[in-house]
Amino acid sequence: MLEYLLAFLIIAGGAFTFIGSLGLARLRDFYSRLHGPTKATTLGVGCVLIASAVYFSRGEAASFHEILITLFLFITAPVSAHLMAKAALHLKLASLAERPEPRERD
Amino acid sequence: MIQRLLPHPLLTPILALVWMLLANEFSAGHAVLGLVLGWAIPVFTLRFWPEPTRIHRPLTLLRFIVVVLFDILIANLAVAKLIVSRPRRLQPAFVEIPLAVRSDLAISLLANTISLTPGTVSAELSPERDRLLVHALHVTDTEALVATIKSRYEAPLKEVFEE
């Protein structure tokens, strides 16, 4: 029974990760493509990690590394997306959305 | 004095816990080592993070975390559906959100939350730190989006970290 649940989680995880990557190919501007890796992939990796944590916790000592991976992923993924968006704005990359007026900086 | 010796009292147990998770072992020895690290790291990194952090309402924070995790699930499904079904008809937009939170930690947490949830990525913080520029993947009603973000994410963060 548990095997089926784990198999389902891994397949779902793979599917979401795939859709996230598919976004890179199908979306049309840089800013939209940023959404793929920060979101669709989070759930994909989440599913795989839950499956991994449950699988390796059977029998012997529980496995907690997956919790840490999730934590670090949640901290780092948005930061890298933010920095890439900031760099793209700075370089004035073409965008489908109307770009906001650049502000004066000191 | 206590401020200098223990600048971030909350960070110490968190770092100790992370250490024990990294070691994948919950023993007394690792607990002591984790606590020593949890004490030393905040002391030596104090100059990067000078302002003290206080959590005013732990329950609100807990509820906020549950809401965000749930929203991440929904966001993933929504974005996956948008990518698969109709990438040509998306209406991306930049939206500016006026910020009510002021502290570094609250702003960073809000920006991170926005990036993790429904079709939005935080793109830039204004130099005056009072507006956050957000890129939305598909938006029809900008005002509704701003209102949602302010009430759903910003209000609890303000309650927890500032008040």
Side-chain angles (χ1 to χ4, degrees):
Chain A
M1 188 55 216
L2 190 63
E3 308 265 292
Y4 286 106
L5 183 68
L6 292 182
F8 172 76
L9 277 174
I10 290 174
I11 291 172
F16 276 108
T17 313
F18 173 70
I19 292 172
S21 322
L22 190 68
L24 286 178
R26 291 192 75 179
L27 296 173
R28 286 174 304 160
D29 70 342
F30 179 83
Y31 303 95
S32 307
R33 284 186 208 119
L34 268 181
H35 290 268
T38 49
K39 276 181 242 35
T41 328
T42 323
L43 189 61
V45 175
C47 286
V48 173
L49 288 176
I50 292 172
S52 158
V54 174
Y55 182 80
F56 286 106
S57 295
R58 296 186 309 175
E60 14 173 334
S63 172
F64 295 105
H65 281 154
E66 286 83 0
I67 300 174
L68 278 185
I69 299 176
T70 317
L71 181 69
F72 293 149
L73 193 72
F74 277 16
I75 296 174
T76 53
V79 174
S80 48
H82 179 87
L83 285 178
M84 280 189 275
K86 205 173 155 70
L89 279 175
H90 184 71
L91 293 171
K92 299 187 172 38
L93 287 190
S95 160
L96 289 176
E98 198 180 322
R99 252 210 326 269
E101 288 297 307
R103 268 201 216 86
E104 294 296 317
R105 271 150 209 277
D106 36 336
Chain B
M1 192 61 197
I2 188 107
Q3 169 73 28
R4 271 189 72 92
L5 279 179
L6 201 63
H8 296 297
L10 281 171
L11 201 55
T12 305
I14 293 175
L15 283 175
L17 186 68
V18 168
W19 174 258
M20 287 194 285
L21 287 172
L22 271 175
N24 218 358
E25 196 183 314
F26 288 86
S27 61
H30 276 295
V32 172
L33 190 52
L35 283 174
V36 170
L37 286 170
W39 167 77
I41 293 172
V43 169
F44 287 110
T45 55
L46 183 58
R47 66 179 65 178
F48 299 112
W49 191 359
E51 57 179 71
T53 307
R54 278 200 195 82
I55 291 180
H56 298 281
R57 305 212 181 140
L59 279 182
T60 314
L61 183 64
L62 211 60
R63 213 185 58 210
F64 173 74
I65 292 172
V66 172
V67 166
V68 168
L69 285 179
F70 182 71
D71 283 355
I72 288 174
L73 190 69
I74 302 297
N76 276 282
L77 294 172
V79 170
K81 198 169 140 231
L82 285 177
I83 290 175
V84 171
S85 62
R86 36 168 198 169
R88 306 259 148 223
R89 273 184 286 156
L90 292 180
Q91 297 174 3
F94 282 103
V95 180
E96 214 164 32
I97 297 172
L99 290 178
V101 286
R102 282 284 165 270
S103 69
D104 286 349
L105 186 66
I107 293 179
S108 346
L109 279 178
L110 180 66
N112 266 22
T113 311
I114 287 173
S115 291
L116 281 171
T117 48
T120 46
V121 166
S122 62
E124 189 163 30
L125 183 65
S126 69
E128 303 84 40
R129 307 155 58 80
D130 57 354
R131 272 160 306 178
L132 187 67
L133 187 66
V134 168
H135 182 267
L137 187 57
H138 181 68
V139 63
T140 41
D141 185 351
T142 22
E143 273 164 37
L145 178 71
V146 174
T148 315
I149 288 177
K150 284 193 82 73
S151 64
R152 207 169 164 88
Y153 308 128
E154 192 184 18
L157 280 176
K158 191 171 171 60
E159 232 174 76
V160 171
F161 291 105
E162 296 185 354
E163 228 31 29

